Amino acid sequence: MRDIAVFSGSAHPDLAAEVCAHLGVPLSPTRLSRFANDCLEVQLQANCRERDVFLIQPLVRPVQEHLVELLLMCDAARGASAGRITVVMPHYSYARSDKKDAPRISLGGRLVADLLVAAGTSRVLAMTLHAPQVHGFFSVPVDHLHALRELAAHFRQYDLSRTTVVSPDLGNAKEAAAFARMIGAQVAAGAKQRFADDRVTISSVIGHVAGRDVIVLDDEIAKGSTVLELLDRLRESGPRSIRIACTHGLFAEGALKRLTEQPDVLEIVCTNTVPVPVDDPEEYRSKLRVLSIAPALAEAVRRIHNGESVSALFDAPRGEEG
């Protein structure tokens, strides 16, 4: 079996270090520099020849900088004769660009997938893609994980006998239903219509939430506009309690502050697929709980390296093969 080498980009080095700690392997150093003309240069400062190379880099702000950095890391590993190059991308931000719903727009999710493959990517390990069809944008194998087990383990500390998992829209209802089955809860969904990136309306909630403990589940929270709109509809039915959960806690443009200020929101739960916002004061993080997906990523990396099944481990609700 080829030796393993793990490198991290600058997007989320803490997660990469935690993954390596669970694997029991060192995090190999990476040097990132910038020329006078603003171009980036990446050097992988460990031997890659015929090794199983894993590059850990979520696409978070600044997304374009981190994307180019990841492409350069792939190219560097390929040029160094890596045996196989696996991109570990806990958050694929371009997955939101997954359909042509207006004239003359780009399909960024497919384009970036093609760029990664062109740069030398042999395999992709992703976490909770925005839409299942994004899995098919890649022409190389993709192991698509989810964080439902970590979220379920957290919520099992509460009495779930009167719990309803609510998806903000019908598109995420399948994921919400899978999560509801894991914790023995009911499921509901919002009837959402999106007019712009930060402007949505939810006309009603389909399902029983009156007098129940609600867990709002979404794949990611960016500006929080969808969740805030859903909270307004939920309040019309009178839930007993409200908690919010997501995989990718981006919390852009003051979203964490706005959600924390909702008096009936008891808790906001996310994972560390992306860095926790550090620019928000502590008072705006008082309700935030961050769960680590490093053990799951490390086990997936180990199984990929050893040629074992990944889908069998994570029991993916969407049926992706590993």
Side-chain angles (χ1 to χ4, degrees), residues 1-2 39 81 99 105-106 108 114 136 138 163 178 187 219 225 245 251 260 267 281 306 320-322:
M1 179 64 69
R2 293 168 297 206
C39 291
S81 302
K99 54 188 174 294
I105 63 171
S106 61
D114 289 343
F138 292 87
T163 297
V187 65
D219 61 327
S225 54
F251 303 124
T260 301
E267 190 177 40
N306 292 333
E320 288 90 0
E321 291 293 328

Side-chain angles (χ1 to χ4, degrees), residues 48-209:
C48 296
R49 185 174 297 273
E50 295 305 317
R51 300 183 78 183
D52 202 1
V53 172
F54 292 84
L55 308 175
I56 302 177
Q57 179 89 321
L59 295 187
V60 295
R61 290 188 176 189
V63 173
Q64 282 59 244
E65 288 271 324
H66 289 142
L67 171 58
V68 172
E69 184 182 328
L70 178 57
L71 293 171
L72 293 174
M73 291 171 68
C74 292
D75 183 67
R78 179 176 59 182
S81 302
R84 180 174 62 181
I85 302 169
T86 300
V87 167
V88 181
M89 193 164 46
H91 179 54
Y92 183 36
S93 53
Y94 273 99
R96 293 188 63 146
S97 179
D98 63 334
K99 54 188 174 294
K100 191 173 174 64
D101 54 1
R104 298 172 298 281
I105 63 171
S106 61
L107 283 175
R110 187 186 64 189
L111 173 62
V112 173
D114 289 343
L115 288 173
L116 287 169
V117 174
T121 300
S122 310
R123 191 178 196 96
V124 173
L125 175 60
M127 174 77 72
T128 312
L129 294 171
H130 182 65
Q133 64 263 27
V134 176
H135 186 281
F137 288 174
F138 292 87
S139 58
V140 295
V142 176
D143 290 300
H144 184 193
L145 312 183
H146 62 81
L148 297 186
R149 295 202 317 172
E150 286 73 18
L151 292 170
H154 171 81
F155 283 104
R156 286 193 187 106
Q157 67 181 295
Y158 304 120
D159 178 9
L160 300 174
S161 59
R162 293 175 55 86
T163 297
T164 298
V165 178
V166 181
S167 170
D169 53 47
L170 297 176
N172 197 55
K174 188 174 181 181
E175 191 96 342
F179 182 63
R181 287 194 298 271
M182 293 177 72
I183 63 174
Q186 296 184 16
V187 65
K192 183 178 81 171
Q193 185 176 6
R194 181 176 291 279
F195 298 97
D197 182 51
D198 60 349
R199 191 164 64 90
V200 301
T201 62
I202 297 177
S203 58
S204 61
V205 176
I206 305 167
H208 182 46
V209 298

Side-chain angles (χ1 to χ4, degrees), residues 32-41 68 72:
L32 175 66
S33 56
R34 191 181 298 268
F35 292 106
N37 64 357
D38 202 40
C39 291
L40 294 174
E41 181 183 65
V68 172
L72 293 174

Side-chain angles (χ1 to χ4, degrees), residues 11-12 15 56-60 89-92 126-128 146-147 219-220 246-250 270-276 290-294 297:
H12 201 352
L15 176 61
I56 302 177
Q57 179 89 321
L59 295 187
V60 295
M89 193 164 46
H91 179 54
Y92 183 36
M127 174 77 72
T128 312
H146 62 81
D219 61 327
E220 69 176 63
C246 68
T247 299
H248 311 299
L250 301 172
C270 67
T271 74
N272 62 342
T273 54
V274 301
V276 178
V290 181
L291 312 179
S292 178
I293 47 85
L297 287 177

